[in-house]
């Protein structure tokens, strides 16, 4: 075999690969390196933020967020596509509450009304109407989390 290897079009491989460095840390231009450094810095910030959220959540598991001093929702509502989903979600919530996995705040499950599917927008309006009927103006200053779990993804 010849000392100077060539590729299929006959150009020497040495010339074809000249100036290329396969290592990901060796960037030829300062601009892409700055961009990479910026992305890495942003990724580290996101990682630290996620870690702090998980630490806070661990502190409120099985406890009242207000007593622990960690911000959380005043009410968590889970939408269900129908009554059978609602029943199943309620059973799951009870298990999670009994095991101390959930913060001590009120949890509600609300099934969509019977009839044609109303989607997440219709479900949100339906839930807010039910909440207003049940709690009145007391809920005006609450932080309410609505989790749409009633869909039938395709």
């Amino acid at each position: 075999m010849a000392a100077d290897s060539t590729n299929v079009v006959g150009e020497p491989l040495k010339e074809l690969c000249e100036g290329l460095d396969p290592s990901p840390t060796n960037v030829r231009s300062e601009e892409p390196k700055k961009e990479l450094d910026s992305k890495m810095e942003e990724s580290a910030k996101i990682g630290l933020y996620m870690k702090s959220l998980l630490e806070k959540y661990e502190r409120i598991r099985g406890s009242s967020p207000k007593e622990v001093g960690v911000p959380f929702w005043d009410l968590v509502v889970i939408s269900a596509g129908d009554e059978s989903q609602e029943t199943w979600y309620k059973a799951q919530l009870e298990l999670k509450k009994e095991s101390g996995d959930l913060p001590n705040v009120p949890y509600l499950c609300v099934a969509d009304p019977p009839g044609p599917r109303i989607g997440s927008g219709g479900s949100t309006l339906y839930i807010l109407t039910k909440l207003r009927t049940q709690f009145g103006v007391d809920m005006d200053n609450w932080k309410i989390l609505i989790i749409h779990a009633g869909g039938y993804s395709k």
Side-chain angles (χ1 to χ4, degrees):
M1 182 172 266
D4 212 5
S5 299
T6 59
N7 65 13
V8 281
V9 275
E11 298 172 334
L13 287 176
K14 183 178 178 185
E15 289 177 24
L16 182 65
C17 297
E18 190 173 336
L20 296 179
D21 185 346
S23 73
T25 56
N26 186 1
V27 182
R28 288 210 271 177
S29 163
E30 268 307 302
E31 202 54 42
K33 183 173 182 347
K34 285 181 184 177
E35 186 177 324
L36 178 62
D37 288 347
S38 174
K39 286 180 181 179
M40 294 300 290
E41 186 178 317
E42 188 66 23
S43 180
K45 286 179 185 176
I46 291 169
L48 287 173
Y49 178 71
M50 293 304 297
K51 183 179 178 186
S52 77
L53 287 179
L54 290 172
E55 288 170 353
K56 286 178 185 176
Y57 187 77
E58 281 302 315
R59 288 187 9 225
I60 61 174
R61 286 177 102 170
S63 302
S64 167
K66 288 180 182 171
E67 289 173 8
V68 177
V70 174
F72 198 71
W73 293 276
D74 299 305
L75 174 67
V76 177
V77 182
I78 300 174
S79 73
D82 55 34
E83 289 180 5
S84 65
Q85 267 190 346
E86 177 185 26
T87 301
W88 192 85
Y89 291 154
K90 284 179 179 179
Q92 291 297 307
L93 282 171
E94 277 308 308
L95 289 172
K96 292 291 185 184
K97 283 194 254 183
E98 287 172 10
S99 67
D101 286 335
L102 296 175
N104 290 336
V105 297
Y107 293 85
L108 295 176
C109 292
V110 178
D112 287 348
R117 308 248 328 126
I118 59 174
S120 57
S123 180
T124 300
L125 292 174
Y126 181 71
I127 289 168
L128 291 174
T129 300
K130 285 189 75 125
L131 293 177
R132 176 63 73 193
T133 301
Q134 186 173 352
F135 299 109
V137 294
D138 291 344
M139 66 177 259
D140 286 354
N141 293 316
W142 292 356
K143 292 180 287 185
I144 301 172
L145 172 64
I146 300 175
I147 301 171
H148 291 285
Y152 297 98
S153 297
K154 295 180 182 177

